[in-house]
Structures are given as structure tokens and as C-alpha cells.
Amino acid sequence: MRARLLAAACALLALAAVAPARAATVLETQVSHSDNVYRIRFAVVIDAPLERVRAVMTDFAQLTKLTDTLIESEVLARSAGKQRIRVVFRTCVLFFCKQMRKTEDVETLSNGDIVTVAVPAESDFHRAEARWHLVGDAVATRVEYDAEMEPRFFVPPLIGPALVKSKIRRELIATAGNLERLAQP
């Protein structure tokens, strides 16, 4: 019995030794809702080099590695400095589950910001725009995310927005942790 306990303790210590020193540090998370538009602001410090973080975030064919809600991600077209991507995601809030699709044009600006604009005719959103601002160095990266989304689908007005806002916050925090894990050298 003592040998089993000692073996279990050693295994736990070994796991702790290889675990990352810290998780992504969430600096800000705001989600508001008005007139069926969700506004999201999120800032996090990722314990990974800027270039690695940018590489993971712009590997659009592999975005499903960042979050469990994304079930499909593909690059549809490439042109000078722009890409058109399609993502399909599934999320549940309480007993309400929804699979959504979004086709968006992605551009990396001269300052390094990543801007996405949904193509409404090919999306479950009337409008969806986002900007990712990344600053950092060889050790850590600050990621700021600002977005506005207007879903084309019905969200029950009394309880829906509060639950959706909570779900968005949880997903952003989980995604930041996955980004950090994937971007570490």
C-alpha cells in the first residue's frame, strides 16, 4: 500500500514538473449586449513569444486546435495580404445548442493587427467584425481582442444574453490557455 502511495506521489510530482509555470493572465474581459449586438473586449498576456503566438493565430487551417467549439476551419482563398476563411463552430448554453458558420475575410494590417470581417451572405451573422492586436517580445505577448457580432439567429431576450455573455467569457479564457500551450517553444 505504501509503495502504491509513493508511486502515485512520484507520478504527480513528475506531472507538476513538466506543467507550464503559469497560465495565460487575463487582464480584461468585457461582454456587453444591446440591440442584438454583442460587443466583446478581451486582453490577456500569453507566456509565449510574439512570433509564435502570431503563427498559431494565423494558421487558419488549424484553428480547431485553439478551442473545442470550433469543429471546422479552412482557408477558402488567398490574395495579396488577405485570406477568406470559413469556420464552423458548435456551442451550447444550458440546453440550447447551436451550430454556426462564419465566412470571413482576414487581413493582417501593416501594424501587425489581424482584422476579420464576416461575409453576411455566407454566415449566420448579419455582421461580425473583430480586431486582434498583438504586442510582445521573445518572452510574452499581450493579445487584445475587440469585436462586434450581430447574430442572425434568435437569442431569447430575458435570459439568453446573460448566458451567452458568460459563455463567451469562458470560451475566451479557455482559448487563451490553449493559445499559450500551442505557442510555447
Side-chain angles (χ1 to χ4, degrees):
M1 179 70 160
R2 222 177 216 184
R4 280 189 193 162
L5 287 174
L6 182 58
C10 288
L12 287 174
L13 286 173
L15 284 174
V18 297
R22 63 179 192 162
T25 305
V26 177
L27 304 174
E28 175 183 9
T29 174
Q30 295 178 12
V31 181
S32 63
H33 175 261
S34 174
D35 297 325
N36 201 37
V37 175
Y38 290 87
R39 289 171 186 80
I40 304 157
R41 174 137 179 86
F42 183 72
V44 63
V45 174
I46 302 293
D47 188 22
L50 172 63
E51 291 312 312
R52 298 267 307 149
V53 170
R54 183 178 305 285
V56 171
M57 290 181 64
T58 56
D59 187 358
F60 301 115
Q62 300 295 318
L63 291 178
T64 55
K65 293 179 179 178
L66 284 174
T67 175
D68 292 338
T69 61
L70 265 180
I71 56 176
E72 187 178 324
S73 172
E74 69 176 313
V75 177
L76 301 175
R78 288 184 170 93
S79 63
K82 292 186 181 180
Q83 296 184 67
R84 178 163 283 188
I85 67 170
R86 183 172 67 85
V87 294
V88 177
F89 47 102
R90 179 177 167 78
T91 189
C92 297
V93 177
L94 292 179
F95 56 87
F96 177 74
C97 292
K98 177 80 175 153
Q99 182 169 308
M100 297 162 277
R101 64 186 170 84
K102 183 168 52 166
T103 298
E104 53 192 356
D105 292 324
V106 182
E107 181 178 9
T108 301
L109 304 180
S110 60
N111 70 352
D113 286 5
I114 302 164
V115 176
T116 67
V117 178
V119 179
E122 299 176 28
S123 303
D124 289 322
F125 295 85
H126 292 293
R127 183 171 61 94
E129 300 169 1
R131 178 181 291 248
W132 295 89
H133 179 70
L134 287 74
V135 292
D137 53 30
V139 176
T141 305
R142 180 183 172 113
V143 178
E144 298 174 356
Y145 173 73
D146 287 291
E148 287 192 5
M149 292 182 257
E150 181 180 2
R152 193 180 300 277
F153 49 89
F154 177 73
V155 178
L158 294 178
I159 194 164
L163 292 174
V164 169
K165 290 188 315 188
S166 174
K167 178 72 171 179
I168 289 171
R169 278 190 194 97
R170 286 193 313 275
E171 285 298 324
L172 285 170
I173 291 167
T175 300
N178 289 336
L179 175 59
E180 182 173 84
R181 179 181 51 79
L182 292 168
Q184 292 200 344

